[in-house]
Each structure stands twice: as C-alpha cells, then as structure tokens.
Amino acid sequence: EAVPSAPAGMATPSATHPIGINYNENALGMSPRAQLAAIDSISGANRYPFSRLAPFRQQLADHHGVAPASLLLTPGSSAGIRASIAAHARGSNTQLVIPELTYGDGEHHASNYGMSIARAPSSREDWSFEMADMRALVDNHDGASVVYLVNPNNPTATITPADEIEAWIESRPDDTIFVVDEAYGEFVNDPAFRSVDGLIARGVDNVILLKTFSKIHAMAGLRVGYLVAAPPLVEHVAGFIESDWMTLSWPGVEAASHSMRDDAFLARSKQSNDESRAILTRALEELGMDYLPSEANFVFHRTPVPLAQYQQLMKEHFVMVGRPFPPAQEWCRTSLGTPEQMRYVAQVMRNLRSQQRL
Ligand code: PLP
C-alpha cells in the first residue's frame, strides 16, 4: 500500500522516528539563541543557579508589567497547577470548579488533596461551556472554591473571551481563588482573548496566572514555568513548592531568558503554527471532518471512525495523534507539527479516505 514519501527537507517518518503530534509540543525546536545559551551554561552548572534567578524574575516581571514579588518560578507550569491547588485545598469543603472537558491536571491534584470536583456541563456539539454555569457552581457552594480555567482550553483549543473572565474575577466571589492557565496564550489570534496579567498588574489579588516555556518557546524538555499573582498570594503558594533554586536548572533558566529576547524566533514559532493549522484544517474540511476553531497549537476534530481505530490508522503511517479525552469519544486532538509534517499528515489522511478506510 502506498505510503506518501515525506516532503523534501523532512526526515522520512518511520516506526522509530514517527511524527509525534500527540503531546502539544512545539516541533520547530528551541530558538537557536536559547540552545547556545543552554549549552554555554553547562560549564557553570556545577553551581546552583542562584545568581541567575533574580535577573530572570525581573525579566519576567517586566514582561508582565508586575513587580518581581509577583513572580514564582516553577519547573514547568505543571508544578504551578499542583502548588496553586495544594495551597488552597481545605478538604472536601473546598471544591475545584472546571468545565467538563478541560486539562486533567487540575482535577487530578484536587482529588489527591481531598477536594470535591464541580463540573460545568460541556455541549456535546462543540464542547463549549457556559460561564454562567461555572458561576452558579461557585455561588451555590457552601465553602471555598478554586476555579481552574484553561485559556485557550485543552483539548478544545478554544478561548473564553476575556470580558467574561475578568468580570467574574473582579466581582470578587467570596472565598474563591481563580487559577488561569494560559499555557497556549501566545498562539491566539482572536482579539477577544486577553491575558489576566493585566488584572494582576492592576492589583487584583484573587487570581493566579500560570505560564510555561514548554509551548511557544519549544522548551518542554527543559521544564521552565512560572506563576504570576499578587505578592501575598505568591508567598502563600510558595510555601507549597520547593524553592526555585532547587527546582530550576541553570540551562533551563538561561535558555528561557534568551528565548524571551529572541523576537524573530517567537514570531516564527507563531507563524509556523498558523501555517500548520491552515494545512490541517484544509484537509479536515476536504474530508468533511468537523473541527473546533483552534487558537492554540492543536486542533480538536471529529473522527469518522472510532478514535482507537483512527489512532491505529495514523500510526500505521508513523503519525502519532492524541489520546482519548472522555467524554468526547469520537474526537481527536491533533497537535500541530511543522508545516512540512502537516502536509505529510494531510496526505496520509487523504490517502486513507481514497482507500475508504477513513
Ligand atoms: N497546562 C496545560 C493547559 C497544558 O496543556 C500543559 C501541558 O500540555 C501544562 C499545563 C503543563 O505543561 P508544562 O508543565 O510543561 O509547563
């Protein structure tokens, strides 16, 4: 059976080197300047990275328009999710409020800390949820709430408009902390999206912003992230995680710091993602496979065959697509690789259709 040959310039996918579009990683690779900085830093990595942390924190603070005391460095945003929840868990009287379909880490940690989970229903058509339902869950709860909102959401890649989020946060519901995870924020095109960093810069003190270098900066393997919040909130959450000089690596900090200054790389990272998205969505449209409007580096789309079968068909052509996201049984999350990779993936999909296997 014909396997499309990989486009020029792209290594031919194989069983040992498949196209990995299953983890929302950035296939471009790190900024060349960041790579050099990480390599250079190795010679100093016998030391703890104390001396680099204050300048890095300052750089991030300037980026978000806040004071350095509003910053907490974490090894990826995963650690920030856990610590933010741990810092506010008071047993089953505290609830985590989430949309039914969202990134699972919040629920995982909240359950481990004995919190109850309250889910706003997601539409079976497009997996959207109503902010009014989220608000009702908080208003009707007799106890504390942690609202975990991923924006753009994962696995749907859709955004919640800033006006809806900001109005709720600023209404200051009793005993409620908002944890807003903007891991994919830099990929967004829709002007209705806005980071909550503006609220924090204005002194709003009931919201934690989670950020990561794993996505637009293509640094998932170096584990650098941070959170932004009012200084007292940062101090409280810091009590639930090891000190940054114990968790961050010198190469990670150097790479992140240089990547932030590499405007050309960041523009290329965004532009390449836009191009890859257009290639995939064109194929999905041609094949009549519904998809949600993507504002991130992945697309959530329907599959004409059960997901396990779709995964297997793609795997036979050395393409690894996303895992199941129950209750979305007939939907697949496909991450965006390089444009070259996505042209190959689109061709695999078209071939499967012409063979009537899709
Ligand atoms: N938050 C969201 C919404 C994610 O999708 C991911 C990873 O895919 C993470 C956080 C964790 O990323 P990291 O720990 O690499 O920053």
Side-chain angles (χ1 to χ4, degrees):
E1 153 204 338
V3 175
S5 57
M10 187 179 97
T12 307
S14 64
T16 47
H17 292 94
I19 294 179
I21 44 174
N22 47 346
Y23 293 130
N24 293 354
E25 294 157 332
N26 186 331
L28 272 190
M30 280 165 54
S31 138
R33 282 168 61 178
Q35 293 193 29
L36 285 178
I39 292 166
D40 276 356
S41 75
I42 288 289
S43 61
N46 54 318
R47 307 285 181 187
Y48 291 107
F50 289 120
S51 62
R52 287 296 299 134
L53 293 175
F56 183 45
R57 221 178 279 119
Q58 183 69 55
Q59 191 183 356
L60 290 166
D62 293 345
H63 181 73
H64 290 286
V66 297
S70 278
L71 259 298
L72 181 64
L73 303 176
T74 56
S77 55
S78 297
I81 300 173
R82 189 195 59 73
S84 299
I85 290 173
H88 296 95
R90 305 271 181 280
S92 61
N93 200 30
T94 311
Q95 64 170 1
L96 184 83
V97 177
I98 48 173
E100 191 182 352
L101 190 62
T102 192
Y103 189 58
D105 263 27
E107 175 170 353
H108 170 75
H109 294 302
S111 301
N112 279 347
Y113 290 113
M115 292 167 60
S116 54
I117 312 293
R119 296 177 187 82
S122 295
S123 144
R124 278 352 189 213
E125 277 306 300
D126 63 3
W127 303 104
S128 61
F129 60 93
E130 297 295 327
M131 205 52 109
D133 292 333
M134 300 275 285
R135 292 179 81 140
L137 290 170
V138 168
D139 294 345
N140 298 335
H141 179 63
D142 188 17
S145 295
V146 176
V147 177
Y148 177 54
L149 199 62
V150 180
N151 197 25
N153 196 13
N154 183 5
T156 60
T158 51
I159 60 144
T160 302
D163 290 347
E164 292 183 23
I165 300 172
E166 292 178 359
W168 188 17
I169 295 174
E170 291 195 281
S171 75
R172 304 191 58 79
D174 285 346
D175 234 349
T176 301
I177 286 289
F178 293 87
V179 178
V180 182
D181 183 338
E182 295 178 3
Y184 302 98
E186 291 81 0
F187 292 111
V188 175
N189 291 306
D190 188 337
F193 171 85
R194 210 165 35 240
S195 173
V196 292
D197 67 356
L199 292 186
I200 299 165
R202 283 198 273 117
V204 174
D205 62 359
N206 58 344
V207 55
I208 299 171
L209 164 63
L210 301 177
K211 291 297 293 177
T212 179
F213 279 84
S214 298
K215 308 299 179 182
I216 192 87
H217 293 278
M219 285 180 39
L222 278 180
R223 316 304 304 135
V224 183
Y226 59 97
L227 59 83
V228 189
L233 191 49
V234 165
E235 206 179 316
H236 176 59
V237 176
F240 292 82
I241 189 171
E242 296 83 349
S243 314
D244 47 17
W245 57 272
M246 304 293 305
T247 56
L248 270 79
S249 73
W250 196 306
V253 172
E254 285 299 332
S257 173
H258 282 77
S259 187
M260 278 182 80
R261 278 182 247 132
D262 193 344
D263 293 335
F265 171 78
L266 294 174
R268 190 158 65 87
S269 192
K270 162 84 168 53
Q271 189 263 328
S272 164
N273 189 65
D274 284 340
E275 194 180 332
S276 292
R277 184 194 292 115
I279 295 165
L280 179 61
T281 56
R282 202 176 313 127
L284 290 167
E285 274 163 35
E286 262 177 55
L287 303 179
M289 290 160 71
D290 291 345
Y291 62 92
L292 303 184
S294 162
E295 296 289 338
N297 66 343
F298 51 96
V299 177
F300 203 47
H301 59 86
R302 283 191 200 268
T303 55
V305 294
L307 177 61
Q309 192 180 336
Y310 183 70
Q311 286 176 310
Q312 185 55 35
L313 286 170
M314 298 304 279
K315 190 175 170 186
E316 281 170 20
H317 297 91
F318 315 123
V319 177
M320 312 299 290
V321 296
R323 62 185 167 83
F325 288 92
Q329 302 295 357
E330 274 155 23
W331 290 73
C332 177
R333 189 191 72 183
T334 298
S335 308
L336 297 169
T338 63
E340 290 76 13
Q341 289 176 331
M342 298 321 285
R343 275 190 274 276
Y344 177 91
V345 170
Q347 194 53 46
V348 168
M349 292 164 68
R350 290 188 186 102
N351 288 358
L352 287 169
R353 172 59 59 87
S354 61
Q355 294 158 9
Q356 296 178 339
R357 299 174 76 197
L358 196 63

PDB file of all heavy atoms in Angstrom, residues 22-41:
ATOM      1  N   ASN A  22       1.098  14.327  19.303  1.00  0.00           N
ATOM      2  CA  ASN A  22       0.194  13.835  20.349  1.00  0.00           C
ATOM      3  C   ASN A  22       0.357  14.527  21.696  1.00  0.00           C
ATOM      4  O   ASN A  22      -0.424  14.290  22.604  1.00  0.00           O
ATOM      5  CB  ASN A  22       0.360  12.318  20.525  1.00  0.00           C
ATOM      6  CG  ASN A  22       1.804  11.878  20.620  1.00  0.00           C
ATOM      7  OD1 ASN A  22       2.722  12.650  20.310  1.00  0.00           O
ATOM      8  ND2 ASN A  22       2.034  10.653  21.036  1.00  0.00           N
ATOM      9  N   TYR A  23       1.359  15.381  21.876  1.00  0.00           N
ATOM     10  CA  TYR A  23       1.574  15.984  23.205  1.00  0.00           C
ATOM     11  C   TYR A  23       1.571  17.511  23.207  1.00  0.00           C
ATOM     12  O   TYR A  23       2.088  18.118  24.148  1.00  0.00           O
ATOM     13  CB  TYR A  23       2.896  15.482  23.794  1.00  0.00           C
ATOM     14  CG  TYR A  23       2.916  14.010  24.145  1.00  0.00           C
ATOM     15  CD1 TYR A  23       3.952  13.199  23.712  1.00  0.00           C
ATOM     16  CD2 TYR A  23       1.904  13.446  24.920  1.00  0.00           C
ATOM     17  CE1 TYR A  23       3.990  11.843  24.033  1.00  0.00           C
ATOM     18  CE2 TYR A  23       1.925  12.096  25.241  1.00  0.00           C
ATOM     19  CZ  TYR A  23       2.971  11.304  24.794  1.00  0.00           C
ATOM     20  OH  TYR A  23       2.996   9.969  25.116  1.00  0.00           O
ATOM     21  N   ASN A  24       1.052  18.137  22.172  1.00  0.00           N
ATOM     22  CA  ASN A  24       1.035  19.611  22.115  1.00  0.00           C
ATOM     23  C   ASN A  24       2.415  20.223  22.323  1.00  0.00           C
ATOM     24  O   ASN A  24       2.558  21.264  22.987  1.00  0.00           O
ATOM     25  CB  ASN A  24       0.047  20.196  23.135  1.00  0.00           C
ATOM     26  CG  ASN A  24      -1.388  19.877  22.800  1.00  0.00           C
ATOM     27  OD1 ASN A  24      -1.672  19.303  21.747  1.00  0.00           O
ATOM     28  ND2 ASN A  24      -2.297  20.234  23.689  1.00  0.00           N
ATOM     29  N   GLU A  25       3.418  19.555  21.763  1.00  0.00           N
ATOM     30  CA  GLU A  25       4.770  20.107  21.838  1.00  0.00           C
ATOM     31  C   GLU A  25       4.987  21.057  20.664  1.00  0.00           C
ATOM     32  O   GLU A  25       4.141  21.176  19.781  1.00  0.00           O
ATOM     33  CB  GLU A  25       5.795  18.960  21.786  1.00  0.00           C
ATOM     34  CG  GLU A  25       5.717  18.068  22.998  1.00  0.00           C
ATOM     35  CD  GLU A  25       6.269  16.667  22.744  1.00  0.00           C
ATOM     36  OE1 GLU A  25       6.226  16.192  21.592  1.00  0.00           O
ATOM     37  OE2 GLU A  25       6.726  16.052  23.702  1.00  0.00           O
ATOM     38  N   ASN A  26       6.134  21.703  20.642  1.00  0.00           N
ATOM     39  CA  ASN A  26       6.472  22.610  19.550  1.00  0.00           C
ATOM     40  C   ASN A  26       7.551  21.939  18.713  1.00  0.00           C
ATOM     41  O   ASN A  26       8.698  21.784  19.153  1.00  0.00           O
ATOM     42  CB  ASN A  26       6.961  23.937  20.123  1.00  0.00           C
ATOM     43  CG  ASN A  26       7.196  24.982  19.056  1.00  0.00           C
ATOM     44  OD1 ASN A  26       7.527  24.659  17.908  1.00  0.00           O
ATOM     45  ND2 ASN A  26       7.046  26.233  19.419  1.00  0.00           N
ATOM     46  N   ALA A  27       7.155  21.517  17.482  1.00  0.00           N
ATOM     47  CA  ALA A  27       8.044  20.701  16.650  1.00  0.00           C
ATOM     48  C   ALA A  27       9.189  21.498  16.029  1.00  0.00           C
ATOM     49  O   ALA A  27      10.120  20.906  15.483  1.00  0.00           O
ATOM     50  CB  ALA A  27       7.227  20.035  15.540  1.00  0.00           C
ATOM     51  N   LEU A  28       9.131  22.841  16.115  1.00  0.00           N
ATOM     52  CA  LEU A  28      10.193  23.650  15.497  1.00  0.00           C
ATOM     53  C   LEU A  28      11.544  23.439  16.148  1.00  0.00           C
ATOM     54  O   LEU A  28      12.586  23.623  15.538  1.00  0.00           O
ATOM     55  CB  LEU A  28       9.862  25.141  15.634  1.00  0.00           C
ATOM     56  CG  LEU A  28       9.034  25.824  14.581  1.00  0.00           C
ATOM     57  CD1 LEU A  28       9.064  27.323  14.842  1.00  0.00           C
ATOM     58  CD2 LEU A  28       9.553  25.517  13.189  1.00  0.00           C
ATOM     59  N   GLY A  29      11.530  23.090  17.423  1.00  0.00           N
ATOM     60  CA  GLY A  29      12.781  23.077  18.180  1.00  0.00           C
ATOM     61  C   GLY A  29      13.002  24.446  18.796  1.00  0.00           C
ATOM     62  O   GLY A  29      12.381  25.439  18.401  1.00  0.00           O
ATOM     63  N   MET A  30      13.899  24.485  19.789  1.00  0.00           N
ATOM     64  CA  MET A  30      14.143  25.720  20.532  1.00  0.00           C
ATOM     65  C   MET A  30      14.801  26.789  19.662  1.00  0.00           C
ATOM     66  O   MET A  30      15.474  26.486  18.684  1.00  0.00           O
ATOM     67  CB  MET A  30      15.080  25.438  21.713  1.00  0.00           C
ATOM     68  CG  MET A  30      14.403  24.836  22.906  1.00  0.00           C
ATOM     69  SD  MET A  30      15.603  24.143  24.070  1.00  0.00           S
ATOM     70  CE  MET A  30      16.705  25.517  24.370  1.00  0.00           C
ATOM     71  N   SER A  31      14.649  28.017  20.097  1.00  0.00           N
ATOM     72  CA  SER A  31      15.356  29.143  19.479  1.00  0.00           C
ATOM     73  C   SER A  31      16.850  28.815  19.432  1.00  0.00           C
ATOM     74  O   SER A  31      17.413  28.350  20.431  1.00  0.00           O
ATOM     75  CB  SER A  31      15.126  30.391  20.344  1.00  0.00           C
ATOM     76  OG  SER A  31      16.304  31.143  20.496  1.00  0.00           O
ATOM     77  N   PRO A  32      17.507  29.061  18.297  1.00  0.00           N
ATOM     78  CA  PRO A  32      18.945  28.785  18.222  1.00  0.00           C
ATOM     79  C   PRO A  32      19.731  29.548  19.288  1.00  0.00           C
ATOM     80  O   PRO A  32      20.683  29.013  19.869  1.00  0.00           O
ATOM     81  CB  PRO A  32      19.330  29.260  16.811  1.00  0.00           C
ATOM     82  CG  PRO A  32      18.051  29.233  16.036  1.00  0.00           C
ATOM     83  CD  PRO A  32      16.946  29.507  17.010  1.00  0.00           C
ATOM     84  N   ARG A  33      19.298  30.780  19.567  1.00  0.00           N
ATOM     85  CA  ARG A  33      19.987  31.558  20.620  1.00  0.00           C
ATOM     86  C   ARG A  33      19.811  30.920  21.988  1.00  0.00           C
ATOM     87  O   ARG A  33      20.732  30.877  22.808  1.00  0.00           O
ATOM     88  CB  ARG A  33      19.442  32.986  20.643  1.00  0.00           C
ATOM     89  CG  ARG A  33      20.022  33.838  19.530  1.00  0.00           C
ATOM     90  CD  ARG A  33      19.273  35.146  19.381  1.00  0.00           C
ATOM     91  NE  ARG A  33      19.306  35.992  20.566  1.00  0.00           N
ATOM     92  CZ  ARG A  33      18.738  37.194  20.631  1.00  0.00           C
ATOM     93  NH1 ARG A  33      18.101  37.681  19.581  1.00  0.00           N
ATOM     94  NH2 ARG A  33      18.801  37.901  21.731  1.00  0.00           N
ATOM     95  N   ALA A  34      18.630  30.388  22.232  1.00  0.00           N
ATOM     96  CA  ALA A  34      18.365  29.724  23.514  1.00  0.00           C
ATOM     97  C   ALA A  34      19.186  28.438  23.623  1.00  0.00           C
ATOM     98  O   ALA A  34      19.716  28.109  24.693  1.00  0.00           O
ATOM     99  CB  ALA A  34      16.874  29.420  23.640  1.00  0.00           C
ATOM    100  N   GLN A  35      19.311  27.740  22.506  1.00  0.00           N
ATOM    101  CA  GLN A  35      20.101  26.494  22.530  1.00  0.00           C
ATOM    102  C   GLN A  35      21.560  26.795  22.880  1.00  0.00           C
ATOM    103  O   GLN A  35      22.167  26.109  23.708  1.00  0.00           O
ATOM    104  CB  GLN A  35      20.037  25.797  21.173  1.00  0.00           C
ATOM    105  CG  GLN A  35      18.648  25.287  20.850  1.00  0.00           C
ATOM    106  CD  GLN A  35      18.629  24.331  19.664  1.00  0.00           C
ATOM    107  OE1 GLN A  35      19.604  23.642  19.395  1.00  0.00           O
ATOM    108  NE2 GLN A  35      17.515  24.289  18.967  1.00  0.00           N
ATOM    109  N   LEU A  36      22.110  27.827  22.242  1.00  0.00           N
ATOM    110  CA  LEU A  36      23.505  28.182  22.527  1.00  0.00           C
ATOM    111  C   LEU A  36      23.676  28.591  23.984  1.00  0.00           C
ATOM    112  O   LEU A  36      24.657  28.223  24.644  1.00  0.00           O
ATOM    113  CB  LEU A  36      23.969  29.322  21.607  1.00  0.00           C
ATOM    114  CG  LEU A  36      24.257  28.927  20.166  1.00  0.00           C
ATOM    115  CD1 LEU A  36      24.661  30.156  19.353  1.00  0.00           C
ATOM    116  CD2 LEU A  36      25.366  27.861  20.110  1.00  0.00           C
ATOM    117  N   ALA A  37      22.711  29.357  24.482  1.00  0.00           N
ATOM    118  CA  ALA A  37      22.787  29.817  25.871  1.00  0.00           C
ATOM    119  C   ALA A  37      22.761  28.629  26.832  1.00  0.00           C
ATOM    120  O   ALA A  37      23.505  28.592  27.824  1.00  0.00           O
ATOM    121  CB  ALA A  37      21.641  30.781  26.165  1.00  0.00           C
ATOM    122  N   ALA A  38      21.906  27.643  26.524  1.00  0.00           N
ATOM    123  CA  ALA A  38      21.822  26.460  27.393  1.00  0.00           C
ATOM    124  C   ALA A  38      23.135  25.688  27.369  1.00  0.00           C
ATOM    125  O   ALA A  38      23.640  25.258  28.410  1.00  0.00           O
ATOM    126  CB  ALA A  38      20.667  25.564  26.938  1.00  0.00           C
ATOM    127  N   ILE A  39      23.699  25.553  26.170  1.00  0.00           N
ATOM    128  CA  ILE A  39      24.963  24.805  26.046  1.00  0.00           C
ATOM    129  C   ILE A  39      26.079  25.538  26.796  1.00  0.00           C
ATOM    130  O   ILE A  39      26.829  24.941  27.572  1.00  0.00           O
ATOM    131  CB  ILE A  39      25.320  24.612  24.549  1.00  0.00           C
ATOM    132  CG1 ILE A  39      24.309  23.655  23.911  1.00  0.00           C
ATOM    133  CG2 ILE A  39      26.743  24.088  24.382  1.00  0.00           C
ATOM    134  CD1 ILE A  39      24.341  23.638  22.386  1.00  0.00           C
ATOM    135  N   ASP A  40      26.156  26.845  26.590  1.00  0.00           N
ATOM    136  CA  ASP A  40      27.182  27.646  27.276  1.00  0.00           C
ATOM    137  C   ASP A  40      27.072  27.528  28.792  1.00  0.00           C
ATOM    138  O   ASP A  40      28.077  27.553  29.501  1.00  0.00           O
ATOM    139  CB  ASP A  40      27.032  29.133  26.913  1.00  0.00           C
ATOM    140  CG  ASP A  40      27.726  29.456  25.605  1.00  0.00           C
ATOM    141  OD1 ASP A  40      28.373  28.548  25.046  1.00  0.00           O
ATOM    142  OD2 ASP A  40      27.603  30.616  25.147  1.00  0.00           O
ATOM    143  N   SER A  41      25.835  27.444  29.274  1.00  0.00           N
ATOM    144  CA  SER A  41      25.629  27.468  30.731  1.00  0.00           C
ATOM    145  C   SER A  41      26.094  26.190  31.408  1.00  0.00           C
ATOM    146  O   SER A  41      26.264  26.169  32.631  1.00  0.00           O
ATOM    147  CB  SER A  41      24.154  27.699  31.043  1.00  0.00           C
ATOM    148  OG  SER A  41      23.410  26.515  30.796  1.00  0.00           O
TER     149      SER A  41
END
